[in-house]
Amino acid sequence: MIRRFLSKNKAVLGYGLSLAVLLFILKWLELRFVIYDHAMELYVGAIALMFTLLGIWLARKLTRPQKETIIVEKTVYPDSSLGFVPDETEIAHLGISKRELEVLELMAQGLSNEEIGNRLFVSLNTIKTHSSRIFEKLDVSRRTQAVEKAKRLRLIP
Amino acid sequence: MIRRFLSKNKAVLGYGLSLAVLLFILKWLELRFVIYDHAMELYVGAIALMFTLLGIWLARKLTRPQKETIIVEKTVYPDSSLGFVPDETEIAHLGISKRELEVLELMAQGLSNEEIGNRLFVSLNTIKTHSSRIFEKLDVSRRTQAVEKAKRLRLIP
DNA sequence: CGATGGGTCATACTTTAGTATGATTTTACG
DNA sequence: CGTAAAATCATACTAAAGTATGACCCATCG
């Protein structure tokens, strides 16, 4: 009970004690200097100094620090091209195979069937077959349409 | 000269003046209360109070405000289709005409040359000519490449 | 007024794309 | 192990795409 009271009012008790000590010092000073009437200025100066310091200490302890908030806006660009996540659900739903997706990506990069064939080390005819299957699955009839739709459906970046 | 000195040392002068006034008040209080020897405690209390306040005032004035930087992340969504701004500079630099840009956009939508012709009420041959000019200006040889490059250069959405 | 550039169109040709069909091989799975 | 899906390749054909060349119209500008 008492301990909790002490801990909860620690600050208040601290101030009180400090004040008591100060008053004691003052009384002692008064006794020492009261004899010499001319020491009055010194006495007052000591008091002034002590209480000024007390004031500063109080101010620092009691006033919450004056904060000056600086708000800096930092623009953040989301994914866009760095972090592309293909819509696996849609790919699976359309039944597009891994190889077909590869062909689709190279198509989107503007490569011809022959170039794609060379890139993937297969014949031109193979790419043509893949293309046709892709067009079927995407329900289009031209590569440009396929690319447009694939991008729209987020199958490729 | 004097005015500039005053303005530059305004704060210092303020503190000096305040101190002078306080000392005057102290002297005055001393003269008034020195007669009554028992008023000593009151006198000291007044001094204590004043200097405590002075201390507080000093502390508040002298402590520089603590700066706190808050970084607010502001997400910026690039174009996406809602707010697309074509790179007019690039378009002009490549010398691409208004009509050619139209054809380019329809190309990107996956339309065939014939479909583009019908859409723009011109013949297939006209679109072919436009296409060829576009490919020249973009330094490509196929429509898929043209579309890819045009999108990359932000000529079209 | 004549030169220029954009837009239009045509013919003729080459190249690439796309379709249809069939076949072989690889790979994954019950 | 056998089967289904995926991947491979070929041939033959049609349909687009792309190139080259020349021509015409029309607005604009020095």
Side-chain angles (χ1 to χ4, degrees):
Chain A
M1 227 10 183
I2 293 172
R3 183 169 283 178
R4 272 172 69 185
F5 176 81
L6 283 176
S7 69
K8 278 197 170 179
N9 296 276
K10 201 174 172 181
V12 176
L13 282 174
Y15 299 152
L17 269 174
S18 304
L19 216 68
V21 170
L22 271 172
L23 288 177
F24 178 77
I25 293 171
L26 285 182
K27 209 67 197 172
W28 176 72
L29 282 171
E30 185 181 356
L31 286 174
R32 278 217 56 182
F33 287 108
V34 81
I35 308 162
Y36 312 97
D37 213 82
H38 295 303
M40 190 64 181
E41 276 85 358
L42 202 66
Y43 175 50
V44 169
I47 293 169
L49 183 64
M50 280 192 297
F51 276 91
T52 301
L53 290 176
L54 175 68
I56 290 171
W57 179 70
L58 274 175
R60 295 209 56 141
K61 280 289 164 187
L62 294 178
T63 57
R64 54 168 176 235
Q66 296 168 307
K67 287 180 183 176
E68 187 176 313
T69 46
I70 298 171
I71 295 174
V72 177
E73 280 197 356
K74 185 186 176 187
T75 47
V76 175
Y77 296 93
D79 54 80
S80 76
S81 65
L82 292 160
F84 171 76
V85 275
D87 190 343
E88 304 286 0
T89 315
E90 195 63 38
I91 292 172
H93 180 255
L94 292 171
I96 292 177
S97 73
K98 215 184 303 174
R99 197 61 160 174
E100 286 164 353
L101 206 65
E102 278 186 276
V103 174
L104 201 48
E105 280 182 44
L106 294 175
M107 247 183 209
Q109 288 169 30
L111 300 197
S112 69
N113 286 339
E114 190 155 28
E115 286 169 333
I116 296 173
N118 293 333
R119 189 73 71 92
L120 300 180
F121 304 106
V122 293
S123 82
L124 165 63
N125 288 308
T126 305
I127 301 304
K128 282 190 175 186
T129 323
H130 282 316
S131 303
S132 284
R133 293 206 178 289
I134 292 169
F135 300 157
E136 269 181 49
K137 290 172 181 177
L138 284 178
D139 191 32
V140 298
S141 50
R142 276 180 296 282
R143 52 174 53 233
T144 42
Q145 290 182 325
V147 169
E148 191 273 336
K149 194 159 186 176
K151 288 199 174 194
R152 189 152 41 80
L153 297 179
R154 299 183 59 78
L155 309 182
I156 56 176
Chain B
M1 234 351 194
I2 293 173
R3 182 169 283 180
R4 271 172 71 186
F5 177 81
L6 283 177
S7 69
K8 279 196 172 182
N9 296 275
K10 201 173 174 183
V12 176
L13 282 176
Y15 298 151
L17 268 175
S18 306
L19 216 67
V21 171
L22 269 172
L23 289 176
F24 178 77
I25 295 170
L26 284 181
K27 210 67 195 170
W28 176 72
L29 282 172
E30 184 181 359
L31 286 175
R32 280 217 56 184
F33 287 109
V34 83
I35 307 161
Y36 311 98
D37 214 81
H38 296 301
M40 191 63 180
E41 276 84 359
L42 202 67
Y43 174 48
V44 169
I47 293 169
L49 183 64
M50 280 193 297
F51 277 90
T52 301
L53 291 176
L54 174 68
I56 291 170
W57 179 71
L58 274 175
R60 296 213 53 149
K61 279 290 164 188
L62 293 180
T63 56
R64 50 164 179 242
Q66 297 170 318
K67 288 180 181 177
E68 185 178 316
T69 317
I70 297 173
I71 295 174
V72 178
E73 288 198 346
K74 185 186 180 186
T75 44
V76 174
Y77 294 94
D79 57 86
S80 76
S81 71
L82 292 160
F84 171 77
V85 274
D87 190 343
E88 305 285 2
T89 314
E90 195 64 39
I91 292 172
H93 179 256
L94 292 170
I96 293 176
S97 73
K98 216 184 301 175
R99 197 61 158 172
E100 285 162 353
L101 206 65
E102 275 186 279
V103 173
L104 202 48
E105 279 182 45
L106 295 174
M107 249 184 208
Q109 287 169 31
L111 301 198
S112 70
N113 285 339
E114 190 155 26
E115 286 170 332
I116 296 173
N118 293 334
R119 189 75 70 90
L120 300 180
F121 305 107
V122 294
S123 83
L124 165 63
N125 289 308
T126 305
I127 301 303
K128 283 191 175 184
T129 332
H130 282 316
S131 303
S132 283
R133 293 205 179 289
I134 292 169
F135 300 157
E136 268 181 51
K137 290 172 181 177
L138 284 179
D139 190 31
V140 297
S141 50
R142 276 180 295 282
R143 55 175 48 239
T144 43
Q145 290 182 325
V147 169
E148 191 273 336
K149 193 159 187 175
K151 288 199 173 193
R152 189 151 42 77
L153 296 180
R154 304 181 58 79
L155 309 182
I156 55 175

